[in-house]
Amino acid sequence: MRDREGTEESLRAAAVALLRRGGVLAGLNLRQVADEAGVNRGLVYQYFGSRRALLRSALFHRSRPNAEDAVDAAGLPLRERLARLFWTSLRNPEPVRLATLLVLDGDDRPRVLLNRGAGREDLAAEAERGDLPVGDVAAVQAAIASTVYGYTLLREHLAREIGVPAEELDERMARCVEAMFVRRPD
């Protein structure tokens, strides 16, 4: 069983590495994944069955730290939850990339609203207190996810286009995200 887990992880890592090197539009050839992982090509199909299943598995395994952080942040003030979501996504961007690739591929399984239940409840309580700029909790949650996903995906490109180091833009974006979603006391 341990060998299978190791092989599966090697295949997931190979898929992510190939996507990183070749880009999403280059496609993901399962033979190349097996070659990259140094395993028999038949194991890719035996363990995963399809490219989409392999990517789903990679997403599930790569997103655990981000999901655990979102659960740990539940109940914190929105400002702190946003900061954690933003910085966690930048430190571990693979789940964002994988989920986006799957969604673009027509897969409706990926969930981009981390900690949807507790997160929505926390936002509803903040909306009730007047801490959100708008009271539409579902729209705020979607806007936060869109902002974090979009920035995570486009970070390097945006920094080059603007002409600043990515780390500087990160700091500026963190302040901007907070200003967009956290209402300042009057």
Side-chain angles (χ1 to χ4, degrees), residues 113-178:
L113 300 175
L114 289 179
N115 203 15
R116 292 178 307 281
R120 188 166 289 155
E121 290 169 12
D122 287 345
L123 285 174
E126 285 153 338
E128 199 165 301
R129 288 192 306 270
D131 294 340
L132 296 180
V134 295
D136 187 341
V137 172
V140 169
Q141 199 172 26
I144 290 169
S146 299
T147 301
V148 171
Y149 265 63
Y151 183 70
T152 301
L153 291 168
L154 297 173
R155 174 183 182 257
E156 297 292 328
H157 182 85
L158 290 168
R160 282 191 306 275
E161 193 170 317
I162 293 168
V164 299
E167 295 75 18
E168 177 187 328
L169 187 56
D170 294 345
E171 294 293 336
R172 292 166 62 182
M173 270 298 294
R175 289 190 300 274
C176 184
V177 167
E178 180 183 321

Side-chain angles (χ1 to χ4, degrees), residues 61-128:
H61 285 84
R62 297 294 190 280
S63 65
R64 280 185 186 161
N66 297 33
E68 288 169 2
D69 191 62
V71 169
D72 290 344
L76 293 175
L78 179 58
R79 177 176 285 113
E80 292 175 46
R81 288 196 326 273
L82 279 173
R84 285 179 70 162
L85 174 62
F86 181 80
W87 292 109
T88 298
S89 295
L90 291 184
R91 279 191 305 274
N92 184 21
E94 294 305 334
V96 169
R97 292 180 183 134
L98 290 166
T100 301
L101 178 59
L102 284 162
V103 168
L104 290 173
D105 194 45
D107 192 342
D108 62 356
R109 287 190 189 176
R111 299 292 174 241
V112 298
L113 300 175
L114 289 179
N115 203 15
R116 292 178 307 281
R120 188 166 289 155
E121 290 169 12
D122 287 345
L123 285 174
E126 285 153 338
E128 199 165 301

Side-chain angles (χ1 to χ4, degrees), residues 23-77:
V24 242
L25 297 179
L28 187 63
N29 180 307
L30 293 182
R31 274 187 273 212
Q32 289 176 314
V33 171
D35 291 345
E36 176 86 7
V39 302
N40 180 305
R41 293 175 184 175
L43 291 177
V44 180
Y45 297 97
Q46 180 182 340
Y47 291 165
F48 298 104
S50 70
R51 180 178 70 97
R52 191 178 276 182
L54 171 60
L55 292 177
R56 281 185 195 137
S57 179
L59 172 60
F60 176 77
H61 285 84
R62 297 294 190 280
S63 65
R64 280 185 186 161
N66 297 33
E68 288 169 2
D69 191 62
V71 169
D72 290 344
L76 293 175

